[in-house]
Amino acid sequence: MSGRRSLGRDFGWLWAAYGVSTFGTRLAFDALPLIAVVVLHAGATEVALLAASGLAVGALVAVPLGAWVEIRPKRPVMVAADLLRCAALLSIPAVFALGTLGLGQLLVVSVVVAAADITFMAASGAYLKSLVPREDLLVANGRFEATMWTATALGPPLGGVAVGVFGPMTTVLADAASYLLSALGIRAIGGKERQQCQEDEERRGKERQQTSPATPSGLRMSDLPAGWRHLLTHPTLRPLFLNTILVNALIMAPAPLLAVLMLGQLGFTPWQYGLAFAVPCLGGLLGSRLSRRLVARHGGHRVLLTFGTLRACWPLGLAFVGPGTSGLVLVMVVEFGLITCVAIYNPVLATTRLDLTPPDRITRTLSAWTVTSRTATAAMTALWGLLAALTGTRTAIAVAGVLLLVTPLLLPRRERTPQHSTTG
């Protein structure tokens, strides 16, 4: 077997920056709701409002940013997003030290971080396509996926210990520091993208000359929905987009209900609950390593169809979780199967999405994808909270699982030849 393929020094810096910021984020998992409960003594309604509002408003703010970033060099935008997230998070312990921390401050930070997250993800996707040869995109996305699941397995347990020993502000400071380190890592990458950005801007400028005048910022209102227009008119991306948005929302929406079920009704301890979701993350490492091999053997379309279907089959099992060791094992098995399938599917999806999107629309397309995903997840989470109040926690979890079983019908059934249009 050949050794690990080298994608170059610049990718190494990008990967390192992604790794440190992802670990910081997972270390500070649910830090803002935790601070709201422990420090500000907020109730369940206030915490839910904080989570949903920050996600939704941040996504709304990110909509025009996607078009704005499209015509600019991506690396400075990524550095700025990292520094903005760092500054926003540092404001929490600073205001706390002054004795004036309130829910309003947490909401503002939540909105800023959410908008910067979406902007960073969109810019980094476009930058990755300019940094890595097309044939290596799946390898790069697989490494990001493995890093994400490693951080997910290690971060929350270590963060819980840090909060218990040093207090609730510890993980916020660590997360802020991780964004600063990420910015330094991205700064260390050589600048190779300016020429491509200028070419993209010139091409978009020629398109604008035939339509409406540009605004002083170089943007038109018609630039804003261009990402959605590309996703919804592309014969392959449209079903993948609709399927992924619905699947992610139906997986994430019942997550708070499962916490209530396990920690409340079934009597699991917090460490058991954390263990139930940390151990299955090993499936993420397995899946991310298998992804490229499966594509090489069976082709990307078949992998997307097969594992896009399989990932929808697992969550229904969570409705049957019982107390004791057997219940804990059931959660681990279900989550391991789900995460393994997701970790195989996601790198192939990310690579397909980049491959089927022209360079001058990548940022807007990725922004549209992320904005839609986060907004749909926030809305579905609120809806499932209402459903649980009407039908019961276990029933609401089961309904999400049943609905997931029909989502594979949205996957593209046939493989199509990539179409690289360059018109807006």
Side-chain angles (χ1 to χ4, degrees), residues 93-386:
V95 174
F96 174 72
L98 296 174
T100 57
L101 182 64
L103 282 174
Q105 174 75 14
L106 296 183
L107 178 59
V108 170
V109 171
S110 178
V111 169
V112 171
V113 171
D117 281 345
I118 295 172
T119 302
F120 183 93
M121 291 170 63
S124 63
Y127 186 58
L128 177 66
K129 187 170 182 177
S130 71
L131 191 68
V132 175
R134 178 181 175 186
E135 62 271 16
D136 288 333
L137 281 175
L138 182 57
V139 178
N141 284 314
R143 292 180 186 177
F144 287 144
E145 188 76 11
T147 301
M148 188 270 290
W149 287 115
T150 302
T152 303
L154 298 177
L158 293 177
V161 172
V163 169
V165 175
F166 301 107
M169 296 295 164
T170 306
T171 55
V172 175
L173 289 169
D175 195 15
S178 76
Y179 288 126
L180 179 59
L181 292 174
S182 173
L184 293 174
I186 294 169
R187 282 283 298 161
I189 301 174
K192 298 199 279 187
E193 60 166 333
R194 184 171 299 276
Q195 181 178 357
Q196 178 182 341
C197 292
Q198 290 174 342
E199 291 173 355
D200 292 342
E201 186 172 0
E202 290 174 1
R203 179 165 52 246
R204 285 166 52 81
K206 292 178 181 178
E207 297 168 10
R208 289 193 185 98
Q209 290 174 1
Q210 302 174 1
T211 55
S212 60
T215 66
S217 63
L219 298 179
R220 296 174 299 138
M221 288 302 296
S222 59
D223 285 332
L224 302 184
W228 282 283
R229 188 162 55 245
H230 175 61
L231 289 170
L232 294 175
T233 57
H234 195 287
T236 299
L237 290 178
R238 180 177 60 251
L240 289 174
F241 174 60
L242 297 176
N243 170 268
T244 303
I245 297 303
L246 186 57
V247 169
N248 288 350
L250 287 172
I251 288 175
M252 296 303 299
L257 307 182
L258 184 61
V260 171
L261 177 65
M262 293 182 66
L263 296 171
Q265 300 174 23
L266 299 180
F268 288 102
T269 63
W271 74 264
Q272 289 174 319
Y273 177 77
L275 186 68
F277 293 95
V279 172
C281 290
L282 296 174
L285 297 177
L286 175 63
S288 61
R289 292 184 65 86
L290 289 175
S291 184
R292 183 163 63 95
R293 300 177 187 178
L294 290 171
V295 169
R297 178 172 297 183
H298 302 290
H301 176 261
R302 182 171 295 181
V303 170
L304 285 174
L305 183 60
T306 300
F307 290 93
T309 300
L310 290 176
R311 82 196 201 283
C313 299
W314 294 93
L316 181 59
L318 297 174
F320 303 97
V321 173
T325 303
S326 61
L328 197 64
V329 171
L330 176 60
V331 173
M332 289 183 179
V333 170
V334 169
E335 291 293 326
F336 182 86
L338 171 63
I339 290 173
T340 301
C341 293
V342 167
I344 292 173
Y345 179 89
N346 280 351
V348 186
L349 172 66
T351 302
T352 301
R353 189 172 54 195
L354 288 176
D355 193 38
L356 297 180
T357 303
D360 63 330
R361 261 177 289 172
I362 290 178
T363 303
R364 286 172 292 171
T365 298
L366 296 182
S367 293
W369 191 296
T370 308
V371 165
T372 306
S373 179
R374 296 195 176 191
T375 304
T377 298
M380 293 280 273
T381 300
L383 179 61
W384 248 252
L386 178 61

Side-chain angles (χ1 to χ4, degrees), residues 14-106:
L14 181 63
W15 188 16
Y18 174 84
V20 69
S21 63
T22 301
F23 184 76
T25 299
R26 294 299 186 269
L27 190 73
F29 184 69
D30 280 346
L32 297 190
L34 178 66
I35 291 172
V37 172
V38 174
V39 178
L40 302 178
H41 309 292
T45 302
E46 292 172 308
V47 172
L49 181 63
L50 171 67
S53 299
L55 198 64
V57 178
L60 183 63
V61 171
V63 172
L65 290 177
W68 180 82
V69 171
E70 190 79 76
I71 58 175
R72 285 162 174 79
K74 305 304 182 291
R75 194 160 60 97
V77 171
M78 294 158 64
V79 172
D82 272 337
L83 295 178
L84 183 60
R85 289 184 286 188
C86 175
L89 289 169
L90 286 177
S91 73
I92 295 177
V95 174
F96 174 72
L98 296 174
T100 57
L101 182 64
L103 282 174
Q105 174 75 14
L106 296 183

